[in-house]
Amino acid sequence: MKWNIVTNQQHLNRIERVCDYIATHLDEALTLDVLSEVAICSKYHFHRLFKAYMGVSAVQYVQMARLKRASFRLAFEAKYSVTDIAYEAGFESPEAFSRAFSRIFDQTPSQFRTQPAWQHWHAQYAAQPPMQGENMLDVTVVDFAQREVALIEHKGHPNLVLETASKFIQWRKSTGLSPVDKSETFGVPYSDPNDTPADEFRFDICGTHQGEVPENVFGVKAGVIPAGRCAMAIHKGSHDRIGETVYQLYRSWLPQSGEELRDYPCFFHYLNFVHQVDECDLVTEVYLPLK
């Protein structure tokens, strides 16, 4: 008798394939029939398999993915009304959207738009899709040119970085300096958020800007990202998982490269943002400074 043995890794591959499909098809009908076909799995077993690996049902996962996009729309895209966002998220009415949003995030959409409670929001997305081993990174050693920047320092819990980012966005809009469509945007974490006490974590949000930065109520000031050799890899997708690319640079690429690290933290160059593209289409350059 020939047994068809499906390994745990194959199950993980199936679930990750489904998660990737959901992320890139949020505006389509994501029924169990459709998702089970993507998983190449019987629909009679798919829903149990998905929940066993993800901790939530496929239906709940889809709703959370759509609500995540809706959250970014509320916080960063004033041009979208709450009604528009509700229908885009697949709800039959703004009232149904508001009930679901409030149940999960403890804020109405309007409250979240005005003053988002990012720390509680992050807690709802703490569980990450399964890891299935490392793909090979495409790493390039580049000569990074110095950037003069305007920056705002975030000091405190990593889950509150988006609050600081909102202040930087307000500064950009109110002054017209370092406009997002004509400037580069960088993030500089000075330590690993997983190994740093929350009150000691620092993350600089930077936008290229030459010259002085006028005194302002937001705390934005002038700074520099220094020139030097760097290993650069592309991270695609959610910023919440950018640590996976960073760790892979340190764990896999660096030991085999023969390179030594320079005394400056790794940093990120954001090529697009969640108010421009869906989260799955985010592209970020990750730089590891070298001697």
Side-chain angles (χ1 to χ4, degrees):
M1 179 179 294
K2 184 177 180 180
W3 293 94
N4 182 22
I5 300 174
V6 180
T7 66
N8 183 60
Q9 186 63 50
Q10 287 173 303
H11 285 315
L12 287 173
N13 292 346
R14 287 175 173 178
I15 298 304
E16 181 142 335
R17 185 162 61 242
V18 171
C19 292
D20 289 343
Y21 184 87
I22 290 171
T24 54
H25 295 79
L26 287 177
D27 294 320
E28 300 178 16
L30 296 171
T31 65
L32 287 177
D33 285 345
V34 169
L35 297 180
S36 62
E37 287 184 13
V38 172
I40 316 176
C41 177
S42 165
K43 65 181 179 181
Y44 300 110
H45 301 289
F46 167 73
H47 63 293
R48 292 189 177 90
L49 182 67
F50 189 93
K51 188 166 186 177
Y53 279 85
M54 297 303 297
V56 295
S57 71
V59 172
Q60 290 172 309
Y61 185 90
V62 168
Q63 185 181 78
M64 290 296 289
R66 287 172 171 159
L67 286 174
K68 192 173 192 180
R69 180 176 64 177
S71 302
F72 291 134
R73 292 268 196 261
L74 290 166
F76 300 118
E77 298 187 74
K79 65 182 179 181
Y80 287 94
S81 69
V82 173
T83 298
D84 291 337
I85 295 170
Y87 289 132
E88 183 189 45
F91 289 86
E92 295 181 355
S93 68
E95 292 75 20
F97 171 63
S98 183
R99 287 194 297 271
F101 195 95
S102 301
R103 184 177 66 253
I104 294 169
F105 302 117
D106 287 340
Q107 287 185 295
T108 67
S110 297
Q111 289 170 334
F112 188 87
R113 166 159 274 177
T114 303
Q115 191 171 6
W118 286 116
Q119 193 158 5
H120 178 75
W121 181 92
H122 272 286
Q124 311 315 305
Y125 290 100
Q128 295 290 345
M131 294 280 290
Q132 62 156 335
E134 295 183 344
N135 297 317
M136 292 297 294
L137 277 184
D138 184 7
V139 181
T140 306
V141 176
V142 301
D143 289 315
F144 182 85
Q146 176 178 293
R147 302 295 205 277
E148 293 183 36
V149 298
L151 66 87
I152 186 170
E153 294 181 358
H154 170 81
K155 293 183 178 178
H157 203 292
N159 288 353
L160 299 179
V161 167
L162 287 174
E163 286 189 4
T164 305
S166 295
K167 294 178 183 177
F168 191 69
I169 292 170
Q170 291 176 48
W171 172 82
R172 276 179 151 170
K173 289 181 177 179
S174 64
T175 64
L177 301 176
S178 186
V180 68
D181 58 336
K182 297 179 181 179
S183 306
E184 297 175 297
T185 303
F186 295 89
V188 185
Y190 283 80
S191 59
D192 185 339
N194 296 312
D195 297 323
T196 306
D199 59 348
E200 297 178 14
F201 180 69
R202 175 184 167 190
F203 187 98
D204 288 357
I205 300 163
C206 315
T208 51
H209 172 74
Q210 293 185 335
E212 295 184 3
V213 175
E215 188 173 341
N216 58 88
V217 298
F218 301 101
V220 177
K221 59 185 180 180
V224 171
I225 300 178
R229 294 175 68 248
C230 294
M232 191 276 287
I234 298 292
H235 174 80
K236 296 181 179 180
S238 172
H239 295 160
D240 294 340
R241 301 187 68 173
I242 202 167
E244 295 173 15
T245 299
V246 174
Y247 288 140
Q248 196 171 346
L249 273 170
Y250 282 103
R251 182 174 55 236
S252 300
W253 180 83
L254 186 62
Q256 299 176 20
S257 70
E259 297 281 358
E260 293 185 55
L261 296 175
R262 181 159 39 100
D263 190 22
Y264 190 77
C266 70
F267 58 95
F268 313 134
H269 178 200
Y270 303 107
L271 302 186
N272 52 17
F273 302 95
V274 290
H275 67 274
Q276 299 169 331
V277 299
D278 285 338
E279 192 177 29
C280 59
D281 294 322
L282 290 171
V283 180
T284 307
E285 293 175 343
V286 178
Y287 288 88
L288 192 63
L290 305 173
K291 289 185 177 179

